[in-house]
Amino acid sequence: MPATIDPAATAWLLAATAMVLLMTPALAIFYGGMVRSTGVLNMLMMSFIAIPLVTVVWIVAGYSLAFGDDAGGGVIGDLGHAGLAGINPDSVRGSIPELLFVTFQLTFAILTAALVSGAIADRAKFAGWMAFVPLWTLAVYAPIAHWVWGPDGWLASFGALDYAGGLVVEIASGASALALALVLGPRIGFNIDAMRPHNLPFVLLGAGLLWFGWFGFNAGSALGATGTAAAVFLNTLIAGSLGMLGWLIVEQIRDGRPTTFGAASGVVAGLVAITPACGVTNTLGAVIVGLAAGVVCSFAVGWKHRAGYDDSLDVVGVHFVGGIVGTVLIGLLATEVMTDGVNGLFYGGGLAQLGKQILAVLVVAAYAFAVSFALGKGIDKVIGFRVSKEDETSGIDFALHAETAYAEGVHGTSPRRFGEGHYGQGRPH
């Protein structure tokens, strides 16, 4: 009997796809508020430009490489659907139109590429970023997506679990962000200037919109209007809430006061960690995952000052570390009520699933880091990836885009040049 389209599932996924697409402008606002006033437009543009760049390469080859028939060994898809060949309005994937599945997965790829930009804020050439995004989508995102979610992907066949993108989105973007941060080097004034967010209301607005979109991101991954989608929706709300509470508790104990920036960061940390686990853990598991992410990531964002890498907007500390927390905790908290058979260690499943999750983390992180580092170095050699010292100190918005977000002297501008004087060790968390 030929597959048929489920109208309810299709309606839900249409809505979820729009919600996930909104996450990229939301990320732009979130990141834009976190940078200095002289770089906010560039930061917004780095997210927005990912939408058309990834869309083009996804239609041309990315979707086929990620979700096409396996080309061998579970490593990469074939090019049978290059240019969306063979896919028409009547094509069905499961119980939804395949064109809708293409679009839903496209919004994931767009957001993941945009996430990487936070690590190189305030110092990357826009042309270098435009070159990096399509190459990265094809060389990093598409293969990892195939390993984890594609037909006969080797990590899926191995038994690693990632419901909505802990490996594919969070760890891949976080490891890639670390690679680019090392390629470009630290900002002028790193560990000297405070480099505090210039617009905290932007940060909170962006976090709120991201939280809204995350319901489509996670619950949409059920690909249907089902009880599983409802459970995932609740788990997403719980983890975001506990992530915020965990981060604020650390701030209160460590610093003596909770901050709005900490609240926004904690929400995102909890949502990052629940992404891989939302469809494989119960509500108690979501509480543990969210709380653990809020606490762990609140400390992880400070590691860059000791290690000396300048991850401008804490993509490593939140997305990479949070993704690891959520992916590894699957090995402890997975329950057959959600997985239809797989139990983690805490539910009598032994150590096997934990080992699979750890191996998957290591492989994906190593691959994403290595390829991203190579791409970054190549782009730097060919066209240059970092702006000049003069452009960085005078303001990247005007230097690259001939625009400024605010009138001169407004929103945190300073007569000091970046790197002069001592304002403390980085922005607080």
Side-chain angles (χ1 to χ4, degrees):
M1 182 177 180
T4 57
I5 292 174
D6 180 343
T10 301
W12 162 233
L13 198 61
L14 283 166
T17 300
M19 293 166 70
V20 180
L21 181 59
L22 178 64
M23 292 177 74
T24 298
L27 181 73
I29 296 170
F30 181 69
Y31 277 175
M34 292 169 70
V35 297
R36 295 171 290 197
S37 61
T38 54
V40 57
L41 295 179
N42 178 257
M43 196 71 258
L44 293 171
M45 281 290 288
M46 290 178 80
S47 288
F48 271 90
I49 197 63
I51 299 175
L53 291 176
V54 177
T55 296
V56 170
V57 297
W58 191 252
I59 299 306
V60 171
Y63 174 75
S64 192
L65 293 174
F67 293 98
D69 293 336
D70 186 63
V75 175
I76 196 71
D78 63 19
L79 291 174
H81 292 309
L84 301 190
I87 304 175
N88 56 59
D90 296 323
S91 302
V92 179
R93 190 177 183 104
S95 60
I96 59 172
E98 187 165 7
L99 284 173
L100 178 55
F101 182 77
V102 170
T103 312
F104 182 63
Q105 293 297 338
L106 166 60
T107 61
F108 275 59
I110 291 169
L111 179 67
T112 309
L115 283 171
V116 179
S117 66
I120 54 174
D122 283 333
R123 62 196 189 279
K125 284 185 178 179
F126 194 64
W129 176 245
M130 289 185 66
F132 177 80
V133 168
L135 294 173
W136 182 88
T137 301
L138 294 175
V140 177
Y141 185 87
I144 294 174
H146 187 79
W147 299 352
V148 179
W149 293 333
D152 302 315
W154 78 270
L155 279 178
S157 300
F158 176 68
L161 298 177
D162 179 7
Y163 191 80
L167 294 165
V168 181
V169 176
E170 309 299 351
I171 292 173
S173 63
S176 299
L178 177 59
L180 284 195
L182 295 176
V183 169
L184 269 68
R187 290 165 290 178
I188 298 171
F190 177 64
N191 274 343
I192 298 173
D193 290 314
M195 300 184 181
R196 295 185 177 91
H198 89 281
N199 193 323
L200 283 171
F202 264 30
V203 176
L204 288 170
L205 175 61
L209 290 172
L210 282 169
W211 202 346
F212 171 77
W214 229 296
F215 291 113
F217 198 89
N218 287 354
S221 295
L223 302 182
T226 63
T228 297
V232 169
F233 199 105
L234 178 58
N235 283 349
T236 302
L237 176 59
I238 290 170
S241 300
L242 270 293
M244 182 197 295
L245 292 176
W247 197 298
L248 293 180
I249 289 169
V250 170
E251 284 192 329
Q252 182 64 50
I253 295 172
R254 182 186 61 196
D255 307 323
R257 61 184 66 86
T259 67
T260 54
F261 192 31
S265 299
V267 167
V268 174
L271 294 171
V272 165
I274 200 59
T275 295
C278 59
V280 298
T281 62
N282 57 24
T283 52
L284 176 60
V287 169
I288 296 171
V289 169
L291 185 62
V295 171
V296 173
C297 292
S298 67
F299 289 102
V301 295
W303 295 347
K304 64 184 180 183
H305 298 294
R306 292 189 292 273
Y309 63 89
D310 184 9
D311 168 25
S312 305
L313 307 184
D314 298 322
V315 186
V316 177
V318 175
H319 292 274
F320 185 54
V321 174
I324 291 173
V325 169
T327 303
V328 171
L329 283 178
I330 289 173
L332 304 178
L333 299 170
T335 172
E336 62 183 356
V337 173
M338 297 291 289
T339 62
D340 293 328
V342 177
N343 280 319
L345 179 63
F346 292 171
Y347 289 89
L351 292 171
Q353 192 62 43
L354 180 61
K356 293 175 182 179
Q357 298 303 119
I358 292 172
L359 177 63
V361 166
L362 294 174
V363 170
V364 169
Y367 177 80
F369 179 89
V371 178
S372 298
F373 190 87
L375 288 175
K377 280 289 189 183
I379 291 169
D380 192 42
K381 282 186 174 295
V382 175
I383 62 173
F385 211 154
R386 179 160 181 162
V387 299
S388 68
K389 180 179 179 181
E390 292 73 19
D391 287 345
E392 186 175 344
T393 54
S394 63
I396 193 170
D397 280 353
F398 192 78
L400 296 184
H401 306 291
E403 299 172 303
T404 56
Y406 307 107
E408 185 178 357
V410 177
H411 285 86
T413 58
S414 168
R416 299 167 61 257
R417 291 169 66 88
F418 302 143
E420 295 176 353
H422 181 75
Y423 273 8
Q425 299 295 311
R427 55 185 178 81
H429 290 272

